Amino acid sequence: QSALTQPASVSGSPGQSISISCTGTSSDIGAYNYAAWYQQHPGKAPKVMIYEVSNRPSGVSNRFSGSKSGNTASLTISGLQAEDEADYYCSSYTTSTSWVFGGGTKLTVL
Amino acid sequence: EVQLVESGGGLVQPGGSLRLSCVASGFSFSSYWMHWVRQAPGKGLVWVSLIKNEGITTNYADSVKGRFTISRDNAKNTVYLQMNGLRAEDTAMYYCAKTSAGVFGIWGQGTMVTVSS
């Protein structure tokens, strides 16, 4: 049950695009198309931004997109805005009928 | 409105017990798997436990296996987490969450558990 691997921090200027990677194994990200991404602002509960690798829930901006290659999922945010500054977590269902999260990535909008 | 409301957190001494509750509303509770996810202060999200909709099948993170027990009462739209043998490293905000299609789509606001003497 090792955590998925994410970069600790990323940054970008308003209007730019950034990507956050999430590396797992063949027992989690590589096994299913159940990678998801969550945004968490300080003191708030997480909010799902991407599910099933690349699907956006209703109400989430189309500036957020997801993809997967092998055991690595990625979140891309285009047209960065100040309100995108937050912590981002990936997650995946696993072959052990459990879930695993990434360690989190702090996004700073410069 | 779809909502999850946790309660039961607080300050407890090492070795002590607490029972967390999470009341669901706005959706068909008995149809969904329910989970507890925790977040230590300043740290990341960690999956803790799940219970399937039928209320029988459960699973736990290795770090809590044998100490925590998840249960649910579909008649009361409530999921519980009984925590025994608490340790300092169990100090965290505990979130209740619902999954569908492999994603934690609905989260509660969390209840804080502090283990300290």
Side-chain angles (χ1 to χ4, degrees), chain A residues 1 38 40 48 89 96-97 99, chain B residues 35 39 50 59 61-62 102 104:
Chain A
Q1 294 181 345
Y38 305 86
Q40 187 181 36
V48 59
Y89 295 90
S96 302
T97 312
W99 266 258
Chain B
H35 304 252
Q39 186 171 34
L50 73 83
N59 201 5
D62 289 344
F104 297 92

Side-chain angles (χ1 to χ4, degrees), chain A residues 48-65:
Chain A
V48 59
M49 306 303 284
I50 295 289
Y51 67 99
E52 291 180 332
V53 176
S54 59
N55 293 318
R56 270 189 317 275
S58 174
V60 171
S61 170
N62 59 9
R63 297 185 299 104
F64 291 81
S65 62

Side-chain angles (χ1 to χ4, degrees), chain A residues 26-45:
Chain A
S26 57
S27 296
D28 37 66
I29 291 181
Y32 306 102
N33 286 324
Y34 282 145
W37 290 91
Y38 305 86
Q39 177 190 67
Q40 187 181 36
H41 286 110
K44 301 294 187 181

Side-chain angles (χ1 to χ4, degrees), chain B residues 36-82:
Chain B
W36 290 95
V37 176
R38 70 185 182 184
Q39 186 171 34
K43 303 296 184 181
L45 301 170
V46 176
W47 176 81
V48 172
S49 182
L50 73 83
I51 185 166
K52 292 188 178 181
N53 54 308
E54 88 291 69
I56 298 172
T57 306
T58 61
N59 201 5
Y60 301 90
D62 289 344
S63 58
V64 307
K65 203 169 290 185
R67 299 187 299 123
F68 290 11
T69 302
I70 190 171
S71 61
R72 66 191 293 165
D73 184 336
N74 285 342
K76 294 184 177 180
N77 286 357
T78 302
V79 59
Y80 305 97
L81 187 67
Q82 177 67 45

Side-chain angles (χ1 to χ4, degrees), chain B residues 15-30:
Chain B
S17 298
L18 273 180
R19 188 198 198 199
L20 307 183
S21 299
C22 170
V23 178
S25 59
F27 65 95
S28 179
F29 178 76
S30 61

